[in-house]
C-alpha cells in the first residue's frame, strides 16, 4: 500500500531581506509533513539562492514561467496547491497581486489557483504604512486572502519599527491550520495514546516494555493531516513538529494515562489506545532507592486498570474506540476475543513475532478486526498502517456510528 500523498504547499518567496527567513518556513513545513514547492521571484534570488530552497524542500525550487521542464507550470502548481503562502511578501508583490498581474511564475500561479492564499508582508515601516500598501492589502483581504501581519523589531540597515516578517513558527502555524481543513477527519476530535507506561519500583527504577510510541505518533500525525483535532497522550517525547491542532499530554504511569485519557474521552469523537500499558505494577513504590545491602527485593505486583475496557464501558454515543494488541500466538483469534470482551469497535492486532513488525520498527503489519470482519494490512510503514486504521475510523464516524443493541 503506498503512502497517502502529502498536502502540497506552494511557498512563494519575493525579493526582500526577510527571504532568508523563508528558508526556515520551508524547513518547518517539510518537517511537519507538507510537500513544499518553493517558487522564487527573480528578486528573491538576489537574497537567497534557489539551491538552498531546493535542498530543503520536497521538490526543486521553481523560478520560471517559460522554458522550464513543464510547459504550463503555473496551472500545475495552482491545481496541486492545498495552500499557497507568500513569505516574505514585498510591497511590490502585494501591488502586483492586488492588480492581478501574472507576468511571472508566482503571479501566474496565484491567479491559477483556487487554494487559500496566505501573505506575510515584510518591508520598512514607511512602506508598510503607505496608503497604497494598506489599500492593496485591504483588497486582498476582501478577496479572502489571509494576512499574517508583520511584527515590530529590527529591520534592514539598523532601522527598528513595524514591518518585520512574522516569525517562521507563526507563519507555519497559520499554514498548518489550513491544511487538512477538508480532510475526512476535519471537525472531529481524536485522542491517541502512545508509548509504554513506566511503573515505578523506587525513585530510580521502573517496570516498562519495549514500545517506542512510533505507531501512536504515526496515528496522531496522520489524523492531523486528515484534519482532526488531536490529543496525543504519550509516555515518550514525541518527534512530531508542533501543530496548531495538536496537543501533547505527557504521562508516565498507567494511572496517569488512565486519568489523562478519561479527561480526553469526554470530548473525543474517537479514542485510539495505541499505548502499551503495563499490565502489572508494583503494589508499593519504595520512597528511597533499594540498595544491594538490603538484599534482593521481592517485588509484589498488582494489575493495572484496563484503561481501554474502562473507556469502552463509559463510551459516549457515537464515540469510536480502537484498541491495539501485540500477540505472538494465534493473533487474529485472540484479537477477535479481546475486541468483544473489551467492547471496542476495532482491534488492531500485530504478530510481534514476525520480522519487521511492532516494537522499535518503522514498519508494521496488522490485521484490523471489527464486528463485520477482518482487514489485513501487509508489512508497510507505520504511516500506511495509521491511515488504514483511520480510514476505518472515518467510515464509522461518517456513518454517525452508534452502539447497536447487540453491542460490539
Ligand atoms: N490496555 C489498556 N490498559 C491496560 C492494558 C492494555 O488500556 N492495563 C490497552 C492497550 O492500550 C491496547 C489493548 O488494551 O489497546 C491491549 O489489550 P490487552 O488485552 O491488554 O493486550 P495485552 O496487554 O497484550 O494482554 P494479554 O497480555 O492479556 O494478552
Amino acid at each position: 500500500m503506498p503512502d497517502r500523498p502529502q498536502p502540497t504547499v506552494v511557498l512563494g518567496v519575493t525579493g526582500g531581506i526577510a527571504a532568508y527567513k523563508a528558508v526556515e518556513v520551508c524547513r518547518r513545513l517539510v518537517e511537519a509533513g507538507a510537500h513544499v514547492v518553493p517558487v522564487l521571484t527573480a528578486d528573491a534570488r538576489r537574497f537567497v539562492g534557489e539551491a538552498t530552497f531546493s535542498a530543503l524542500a520536497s521538490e526543486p525550487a521553481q523560478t520560471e514561467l517559460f522554458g522550464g521542464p513543464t510547459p504550463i507550470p503555473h496551472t500545475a502548481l495552482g491545481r496541486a496547491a492545498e495552500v499557497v503562502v507568500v513569505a516574505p511578501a514585498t510591497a511590490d508583490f502585494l501591488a502586483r497581486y492586488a492588480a492581478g498581474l501574472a507576468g511571472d511564475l508566482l503571479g501566474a500561479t496565484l491567479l491559477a489557483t483556487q487554494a487559500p492564499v496566505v501573505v506575510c508582508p515584510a518591508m520598512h515601516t514607511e512602506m508598510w504604512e503607505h496608503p497604497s500598501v494598506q489599500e492593496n492589502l485591504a483588497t486582498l483581504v476582501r478577496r479572502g486572502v489571509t494576512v499574517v501581519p508583520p511584527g515590530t523589531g529590527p529591520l534592514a540597515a539598523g532601522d527598528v519599527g513595524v514591518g518585520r516578517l512574522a516569525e517562521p513558527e507563526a507563519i507555519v502555524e497559520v499554514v498548518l491550520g489550513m491544511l487538512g481543513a477538508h480532510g475526512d477527519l476535519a471537525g472531529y476530535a481524536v485522542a491517541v495514546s502512545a508509548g509504554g507506561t513506566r511503573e515505578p519500583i523506587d525513585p530510580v527504577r521502573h517496570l516498562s516494555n519495549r514500545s517506542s510510541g512510533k505507531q501512536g505518533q504515526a496515528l496522531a500525525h496522520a489524523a492531523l493531516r486528515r484534519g482532526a483535532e488531536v490529543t496525543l497522550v504519550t509516555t515518550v517525547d514525541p518527534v512530531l513538529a508542533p501543530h496548531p491542532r495538536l496537543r501533547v499530554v505527557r504521562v508516565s504511569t498507567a494511572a496517569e494515562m488512565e486519568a489523562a485519557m478519561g479527561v480526553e474521552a469526554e470530548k473525543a469523537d474517537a479514542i485510539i489506545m495505541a499505548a502499551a500499558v503495563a499490565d502489572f505494577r508494583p503494589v508499593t513504590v519504595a520512597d528511597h532507592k533499594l540498595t544491594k545491602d538490603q538484599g534482593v527485593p521481592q517485588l509484589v505486583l498488582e494489575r493495572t486498570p484496563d484503561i481501554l475496557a474502562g473507556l469502552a464501558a463509559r463510551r459516549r454515543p457515537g464515540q469510536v474506540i480502537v484498541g491495539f494488541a501485540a500477540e505472538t500466538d494465534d493473533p487474529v483469534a485472540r484479537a477477535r476475543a479481546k475486541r468483544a470482551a473489551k467492547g471496542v469497535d476495532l482491534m488492531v492486532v500485530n504478530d510481534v513475532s514476525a520480522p519487521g513488525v511492532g516494537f522499535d520498527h518503522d514498519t508494521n503489519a496488522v490485521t484490523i478486526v471489527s464486528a463485520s470482519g477482518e482487514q489485513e494490512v501487509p508489512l508497510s510503514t507505520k504511516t500506511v498502517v495509521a491511515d488504514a486504521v483511520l480510514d476505518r475510523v472515518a467510515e464509522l464516524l461518517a456513518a454517525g456510528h452508534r452502539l447497536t443493541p447487540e453491542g460490539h
Side-chain angles (χ1 to χ4, degrees), residues 273 275 277-279 304-308 323-324 326 334 338 342 347:
M273 280 295 296
V277 184
D279 289 319
T304 54
D306 189 326
I307 304 171
L308 183 62
F324 271 70
R334 284 182 59 86
K338 274 187 189 172
K342 298 202 187 205
M347 202 69 178

Side-chain angles (χ1 to χ4, degrees), residues 189-202:
V190 177
V192 181
S193 69
T197 65
R198 295 175 174 190
E199 310 303 329
I201 297 169
D202 69 11

Side-chain angles (χ1 to χ4, degrees), residues 304-388:
T304 54
D306 189 326
I307 304 171
L308 183 62
L311 292 169
R314 295 193 309 276
R315 84 158 81 203
R316 296 189 294 116
Q319 197 170 49
V320 174
I321 303 189
V322 182
F324 271 70
E327 306 287 355
T328 52
D329 303 301
D330 210 356
V332 174
R334 284 182 59 86
R336 277 192 208 120
K338 274 187 189 172
R339 194 198 67 78
K342 298 202 187 205
V344 301
D345 301 286
L346 305 173
M347 202 69 178
V348 184
V349 59
N350 49 22
D351 177 352
V352 284
S353 61
V357 172
F359 300 128
D360 289 337
H361 294 288
D362 290 321
T363 51
N364 209 354
V366 302
T367 306
I368 304 172
V369 176
S370 70
S372 55
E374 280 95 46
Q375 178 196 342
E376 270 187 45
V377 184
L379 193 65
S380 329
T381 64
K382 287 190 172 174
T383 303
V384 168
V385 170
D387 276 314

Side-chain angles (χ1 to χ4, degrees), residues 151-176:
T152 302
L155 302 167
D159 293 335
V160 176
V162 64
R164 197 179 146 80
L165 182 70
E167 289 307 318
E169 301 89 297
I171 296 169
V172 168
E173 184 161 320
V174 171
V175 174
L176 293 178

